[in-house]
PDB file of all heavy atoms in Angstrom:
ATOM      1  N   GLU A1152    -127.249 -11.764-139.060  1.00  0.00           N
ATOM      2  CA  GLU A1152    -128.380 -11.007-138.529  1.00  0.00           C
ATOM      3  C   GLU A1152    -129.660 -11.844-138.597  1.00  0.00           C
ATOM      4  O   GLU A1152    -130.430 -11.881-137.646  1.00  0.00           O
ATOM      5  CB  GLU A1152    -128.557  -9.727-139.338  1.00  0.00           C
ATOM      6  CG  GLU A1152    -129.675  -8.831-138.844  1.00  0.00           C
ATOM      7  CD  GLU A1152    -129.793  -7.577-139.698  1.00  0.00           C
ATOM      8  OE1 GLU A1152    -128.758  -6.967-140.022  1.00  0.00           O
ATOM      9  OE2 GLU A1152    -130.939  -7.238-140.040  1.00  0.00           O
ATOM     10  N   LYS A1153    -129.879 -12.527-139.698  1.00  0.00           N
ATOM     11  CA  LYS A1153    -131.089 -13.326-139.877  1.00  0.00           C
ATOM     12  C   LYS A1153    -131.051 -14.633-139.101  1.00  0.00           C
ATOM     13  O   LYS A1153    -132.077 -15.085-138.594  1.00  0.00           O
ATOM     14  CB  LYS A1153    -131.315 -13.636-141.362  1.00  0.00           C
ATOM     15  CG  LYS A1153    -131.746 -12.446-142.180  1.00  0.00           C
ATOM     16  CD  LYS A1153    -131.916 -12.797-143.633  1.00  0.00           C
ATOM     17  CE  LYS A1153    -133.230 -13.512-143.838  1.00  0.00           C
ATOM     18  NZ  LYS A1153    -133.545 -13.715-145.266  1.00  0.00           N
ATOM     19  N   TYR A1154    -129.883 -15.271-139.027  1.00  0.00           N
ATOM     20  CA  TYR A1154    -129.769 -16.597-138.426  1.00  0.00           C
ATOM     21  C   TYR A1154    -128.597 -16.643-137.449  1.00  0.00           C
ATOM     22  O   TYR A1154    -127.609 -17.344-137.689  1.00  0.00           O
ATOM     23  CB  TYR A1154    -129.580 -17.662-139.511  1.00  0.00           C
ATOM     24  CG  TYR A1154    -130.569 -17.561-140.644  1.00  0.00           C
ATOM     25  CD1 TYR A1154    -130.175 -17.144-141.908  1.00  0.00           C
ATOM     26  CD2 TYR A1154    -131.905 -17.860-140.448  1.00  0.00           C
ATOM     27  CE1 TYR A1154    -131.080 -17.049-142.948  1.00  0.00           C
ATOM     28  CE2 TYR A1154    -132.832 -17.754-141.475  1.00  0.00           C
ATOM     29  CZ  TYR A1154    -132.405 -17.345-142.727  1.00  0.00           C
ATOM     30  OH  TYR A1154    -133.297 -17.245-143.751  1.00  0.00           O
ATOM     31  N   PRO A1155    -128.680 -15.907-136.331  1.00  0.00           N
ATOM     32  CA  PRO A1155    -127.522 -15.821-135.431  1.00  0.00           C
ATOM     33  C   PRO A1155    -127.118 -17.148-134.793  1.00  0.00           C
ATOM     34  O   PRO A1155    -125.962 -17.304-134.410  1.00  0.00           O
ATOM     35  CB  PRO A1155    -127.967 -14.811-134.369  1.00  0.00           C
ATOM     36  CG  PRO A1155    -129.461 -14.843-134.406  1.00  0.00           C
ATOM     37  CD  PRO A1155    -129.826 -15.150-135.824  1.00  0.00           C
ATOM     38  N   ASP A1156    -128.036 -18.104-134.703  1.00  0.00           N
ATOM     39  CA  ASP A1156    -127.717 -19.384-134.071  1.00  0.00           C
ATOM     40  C   ASP A1156    -127.658 -20.536-135.063  1.00  0.00           C
ATOM     41  O   ASP A1156    -127.692 -21.698-134.675  1.00  0.00           O
ATOM     42  CB  ASP A1156    -128.733 -19.684-132.962  1.00  0.00           C
ATOM     43  CG  ASP A1156    -128.688 -18.649-131.857  1.00  0.00           C
ATOM     44  OD1 ASP A1156    -127.578 -18.261-131.454  1.00  0.00           O
ATOM     45  OD2 ASP A1156    -129.761 -18.213-131.407  1.00  0.00           O
ATOM     46  N   CYS A1157    -127.608 -20.221-136.341  1.00  0.00           N
ATOM     47  CA  CYS A1157    -127.548 -21.247-137.388  1.00  0.00           C
ATOM     48  C   CYS A1157    -126.089 -21.515-137.721  1.00  0.00           C
ATOM     49  O   CYS A1157    -125.400 -20.663-138.271  1.00  0.00           O
ATOM     50  CB  CYS A1157    -128.301 -20.778-138.630  1.00  0.00           C
ATOM     51  SG  CYS A1157    -128.258 -21.958-139.998  1.00  0.00           S
ATOM     52  N   ASN A1158    -125.616 -22.701-137.386  1.00  0.00           N
ATOM     53  CA  ASN A1158    -124.219 -23.057-137.598  1.00  0.00           C
ATOM     54  C   ASN A1158    -124.127 -24.139-138.668  1.00  0.00           C
ATOM     55  O   ASN A1158    -124.285 -25.320-138.377  1.00  0.00           O
ATOM     56  CB  ASN A1158    -123.583 -23.538-136.287  1.00  0.00           C
ATOM     57  CG  ASN A1158    -123.586 -22.452-135.250  1.00  0.00           C
ATOM     58  OD1 ASN A1158    -123.142 -21.350-135.518  1.00  0.00           O
ATOM     59  ND2 ASN A1158    -124.102 -22.744-134.071  1.00  0.00           N
ATOM     60  N   VAL A1159    -123.919 -23.716-139.893  1.00  0.00           N
ATOM     61  CA  VAL A1159    -123.773 -24.650-140.998  1.00  0.00           C
ATOM     62  C   VAL A1159    -122.510 -24.297-141.774  1.00  0.00           C
ATOM     63  O   VAL A1159    -122.065 -23.156-141.769  1.00  0.00           O
ATOM     64  CB  VAL A1159    -124.998 -24.630-141.950  1.00  0.00           C
ATOM     65  CG1 VAL A1159    -126.244 -25.077-141.215  1.00  0.00           C
ATOM     66  CG2 VAL A1159    -125.207 -23.270-142.573  1.00  0.00           C
ATOM     67  N   TYR A1160    -121.967 -25.281-142.446  1.00  0.00           N
ATOM     68  CA  TYR A1160    -120.767 -25.051-143.242  1.00  0.00           C
ATOM     69  C   TYR A1160    -121.107 -24.348-144.555  1.00  0.00           C
ATOM     70  O   TYR A1160    -120.472 -23.385-144.936  1.00  0.00           O
ATOM     71  CB  TYR A1160    -120.059 -26.381-143.516  1.00  0.00           C
ATOM     72  CG  TYR A1160    -118.833 -26.219-144.377  1.00  0.00           C
ATOM     73  CD1 TYR A1160    -117.651 -25.728-143.838  1.00  0.00           C
ATOM     74  CD2 TYR A1160    -118.862 -26.512-145.729  1.00  0.00           C
ATOM     75  CE1 TYR A1160    -116.526 -25.561-144.613  1.00  0.00           C
ATOM     76  CE2 TYR A1160    -117.741 -26.344-146.518  1.00  0.00           C
ATOM     77  CZ  TYR A1160    -116.582 -25.869-145.951  1.00  0.00           C
ATOM     78  OH  TYR A1160    -115.477 -25.686-146.727  1.00  0.00           O
ATOM     79  N   ALA A1161    -122.121 -24.846-145.245  1.00  0.00           N
ATOM     80  CA  ALA A1161    -122.489 -24.312-146.559  1.00  0.00           C
ATOM     81  C   ALA A1161    -123.636 -23.313-146.422  1.00  0.00           C
ATOM     82  O   ALA A1161    -124.797 -23.639-146.670  1.00  0.00           O
ATOM     83  CB  ALA A1161    -122.864 -25.450-147.505  1.00  0.00           C
ATOM     84  N   THR A1162    -123.300 -22.093-146.032  1.00  0.00           N
ATOM     85  CA  THR A1162    -124.341 -21.082-145.816  1.00  0.00           C
ATOM     86  C   THR A1162    -125.111 -20.773-147.090  1.00  0.00           C
ATOM     87  O   THR A1162    -126.260 -20.341-147.024  1.00  0.00           O
ATOM     88  CB  THR A1162    -123.731 -19.787-145.264  1.00  0.00           C
ATOM     89  OG1 THR A1162    -122.726 -19.328-146.174  1.00  0.00           O
ATOM     90  CG2 THR A1162    -123.120 -19.999-143.900  1.00  0.00           C
ATOM     91  N   TRP A1163    -124.519 -21.009-148.238  1.00  0.00           N
ATOM     92  CA  TRP A1163    -125.199 -20.745-149.511  1.00  0.00           C
ATOM     93  C   TRP A1163    -126.423 -21.635-149.694  1.00  0.00           C
ATOM     94  O   TRP A1163    -127.310 -21.308-150.481  1.00  0.00           O
ATOM     95  CB  TRP A1163    -124.236 -20.932-150.686  1.00  0.00           C
ATOM     96  CG  TRP A1163    -123.649 -22.308-150.768  1.00  0.00           C
ATOM     97  CD1 TRP A1163    -122.488 -22.748-150.206  1.00  0.00           C
ATOM     98  CD2 TRP A1163    -124.217 -23.438-151.443  1.00  0.00           C
ATOM     99  NE1 TRP A1163    -122.286 -24.077-150.474  1.00  0.00           N
ATOM    100  CE2 TRP A1163    -123.346 -24.532-151.245  1.00  0.00           C
ATOM    101  CE3 TRP A1163    -125.374 -23.628-152.188  1.00  0.00           C
ATOM    102  CZ2 TRP A1163    -123.588 -25.787-151.758  1.00  0.00           C
ATOM    103  CZ3 TRP A1163    -125.620 -24.895-152.704  1.00  0.00           C
ATOM    104  CH2 TRP A1163    -124.735 -25.950-152.492  1.00  0.00           C
ATOM    105  N   ARG A1164    -126.506 -22.729-148.936  1.00  0.00           N
ATOM    106  CA  ARG A1164    -127.670 -23.619-149.043  1.00  0.00           C
ATOM    107  C   ARG A1164    -128.890 -23.052-148.330  1.00  0.00           C
ATOM    108  O   ARG A1164    -130.012 -23.461-148.618  1.00  0.00           O
ATOM    109  CB  ARG A1164    -127.324 -24.993-148.488  1.00  0.00           C
ATOM    110  CG  ARG A1164    -126.273 -25.710-149.323  1.00  0.00           C
ATOM    111  CD  ARG A1164    -125.830 -26.997-148.720  1.00  0.00           C
ATOM    112  NE  ARG A1164    -126.845 -28.022-148.912  1.00  0.00           N
ATOM    113  CZ  ARG A1164    -126.637 -29.301-148.659  1.00  0.00           C
ATOM    114  NH1 ARG A1164    -125.459 -29.713-148.211  1.00  0.00           N
ATOM    115  NH2 ARG A1164    -127.590 -30.177-148.849  1.00  0.00           N
ATOM    116  N   ILE A1165    -128.684 -22.116-147.405  1.00  0.00           N
ATOM    117  CA  ILE A1165    -129.800 -21.509-146.670  1.00  0.00           C
ATOM    118  C   ILE A1165    -130.498 -20.515-147.591  1.00  0.00           C
ATOM    119  O   ILE A1165    -129.902 -19.551-148.048  1.00  0.00           O
ATOM    120  CB  ILE A1165    -129.308 -20.795-145.387  1.00  0.00           C
ATOM    121  CG1 ILE A1165    -128.568 -21.759-144.462  1.00  0.00           C
ATOM    122  CG2 ILE A1165    -130.453 -20.103-144.666  1.00  0.00           C
ATOM    123  CD1 ILE A1165    -129.427 -22.811-143.821  1.00  0.00           C
ATOM    124  N   GLY A1166    -131.783 -20.759-147.867  1.00  0.00           N
ATOM    125  CA  GLY A1166    -132.568 -19.837-148.684  1.00  0.00           C
ATOM    126  C   GLY A1166    -132.223 -19.861-150.157  1.00  0.00           C
ATOM    127  O   GLY A1166    -132.416 -18.866-150.849  1.00  0.00           O
ATOM    128  N   ASN A1167    -131.742 -21.009-150.663  1.00  0.00           N
ATOM    129  CA  ASN A1167    -131.365 -21.083-152.083  1.00  0.00           C
ATOM    130  C   ASN A1167    -132.473 -21.646-152.971  1.00  0.00           C
ATOM    131  O   ASN A1167    -132.265 -21.874-154.150  1.00  0.00           O
ATOM    132  CB  ASN A1167    -130.092 -21.912-152.260  1.00  0.00           C
ATOM    133  CG  ASN A1167    -130.298 -23.385-151.951  1.00  0.00           C
ATOM    134  OD1 ASN A1167    -131.266 -23.773-151.320  1.00  0.00           O
ATOM    135  ND2 ASN A1167    -129.371 -24.211-152.374  1.00  0.00           N
ATOM    136  N   GLY A1168    -133.670 -21.860-152.384  1.00  0.00           N
ATOM    137  CA  GLY A1168    -134.792 -22.362-153.167  1.00  0.00           C
ATOM    138  C   GLY A1168    -134.912 -23.873-153.179  1.00  0.00           C
ATOM    139  O   GLY A1168    -135.853 -24.414-153.750  1.00  0.00           O
TER     140      GLY A1168
END
Side-chain angles (χ1 to χ4, degrees):
E1152 182 180 316
K1153 289 178 78 172
Y1154 311 110
D1156 298 317
C1157 179
N1158 298 309
V1159 297
Y1160 178 77
T1162 57
W1163 59 269
R1164 294 174 76 170
I1165 302 291
N1167 68 343

